[in-house]
């Protein structure tokens, strides 16, 4: 009986320590957008974003889909997560892959995408809920950032 009480007390105190003082992760800025491939059926790109974690714990980003808009054209979802670990008390650049198919785009959107290839900068918007967590703690962090960033093709 006393072992059960001790175990419950340890679990509750651990949860209390983890949950107190949680400060949200923030995407401070988008560093760069690189087009990895541009084919007739879709585009694959990589976005580099600077993320700040002010917490004393590192966090894992669980699978999340963020809506991505380039120069006003909704190009798809940034598939974020899996093995991405955000270090504790840090501000670092992390890379996210975007995969989009052109099935949802009309002719004018395709023309805008082609004109992007000639530009040096892109207006990028990332919006959605980023699912982060550590052990028993899971939280959705709302992200909505718009910024002009350098554009590159690999």
């Amino acid at each position: 009986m006393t072992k059960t009480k001790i175990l419950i007390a340890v679990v509750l105190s651990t949860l209390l320590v983890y949950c107190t003082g949680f400060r949200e992760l923030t995407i401070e800025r988008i560093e760069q957008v690189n087009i990895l491939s541009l084919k007739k059926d879709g585009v694959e790109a990589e976005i580099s974003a600077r993320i700040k974690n002010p917490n004393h714990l590192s966090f894992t980003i669980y699978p999340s889909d963020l809506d991505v808009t380039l120069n006003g054209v909704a190009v798809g979802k940034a598939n974020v997560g899996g093995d991405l670990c955000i270090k504790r008390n840090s501000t670092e650049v992390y890379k996210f892959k975007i995969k989009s198919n052109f099935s949802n785009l009309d002719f004018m959107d395709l023309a805008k995408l082609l004109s992007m290839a000639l530009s040096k900068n892109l207006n990028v918007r990332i919006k959605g809920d980023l699912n982060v967590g550590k052990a028993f703690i899971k939280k959705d962090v709302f992200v909505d950032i718009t910024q002009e960033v350098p554009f590159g093709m690999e």
Side-chain angles (χ1 to χ4, degrees), residues 6 11 18 40 45 48 52 57 60 65 70-71 83 86 96 99 103-104 107 109-110 124 128 133 137 142 144 147 154:
I6 292 173
V11 169
Y18 274 121
K40 66 179 181 178
S48 300
K52 180 179 182 179
L57 297 170
T60 300
D65 288 331
L70 302 177
N71 285 357
D83 58 351
I86 307 298
F96 308 105
K99 291 184 180 181
S103 63
N104 297 334
F107 181 74
D109 290 337
L110 290 174
V124 179
I137 304 171
F142 181 71
D144 189 359
Q147 184 178 328
E154 291 186 2

Side-chain angles (χ1 to χ4, degrees), residues 25 31 36 59 67 110 112 115 117 124 140 142-143 153:
L25 305 176
E31 297 287 330
L36 303 175
F59 287 98
D67 296 316
L110 290 174
K112 286 181 187 177
S115 70
V124 179
D140 288 340
F142 181 71
V143 174
M153 297 208 40

Side-chain angles (χ1 to χ4, degrees), residues 12-143:
L12 289 177
S13 63
T14 303
L15 285 175
L16 183 63
V17 168
Y18 274 121
C19 294
T20 58
F22 175 80
R23 292 177 279 172
E24 289 196 358
L25 305 176
T26 55
I27 295 181
E28 290 188 334
R29 63 178 283 117
I30 302 166
E31 297 287 330
Q32 188 169 14
V33 176
N34 287 319
I35 302 295
L36 303 175
S37 69
L38 182 60
K39 300 176 183 174
K40 66 179 181 178
D41 57 343
V43 64
E44 185 175 338
E46 183 177 70
I47 291 181
S48 300
R50 183 170 299 278
I51 299 177
K52 180 179 182 179
N53 180 6
N55 296 289
H56 65 281
L57 297 170
S58 62
F59 287 98
T60 300
I61 295 184
Y62 295 108
S64 308
D65 288 331
L66 302 175
D67 296 316
V68 178
T69 305
L70 302 177
N71 285 357
V73 178
V75 294
K77 301 272 187 186
N79 301 316
V80 182
D83 58 351
L84 189 59
C85 182
I86 307 298
K87 296 178 184 174
R88 66 188 180 125
N89 294 325
S90 68
T91 301
E92 294 191 21
V93 176
Y94 297 91
K95 295 182 179 185
F96 308 105
K97 299 262 186 195
I98 302 169
K99 291 184 180 181
S100 173
N101 60 32
F102 293 145
S103 63
N104 297 334
L105 302 179
D106 61 21
F107 181 74
M108 292 305 291
D109 290 337
L110 290 174
K112 286 181 187 177
L113 283 175
L114 291 175
S115 70
M116 281 187 237
L118 302 173
S119 63
K120 293 183 181 178
N121 293 315
L122 289 177
N123 187 12
V124 179
R125 181 178 187 194
I126 299 175
K127 183 178 179 181
D129 288 318
L130 199 59
N131 303 314
V132 299
K134 174 87 174 187
F136 302 109
I137 304 171
K138 294 208 170 53
K139 184 160 176 75
D140 288 340
V141 177
F142 181 71
V143 174

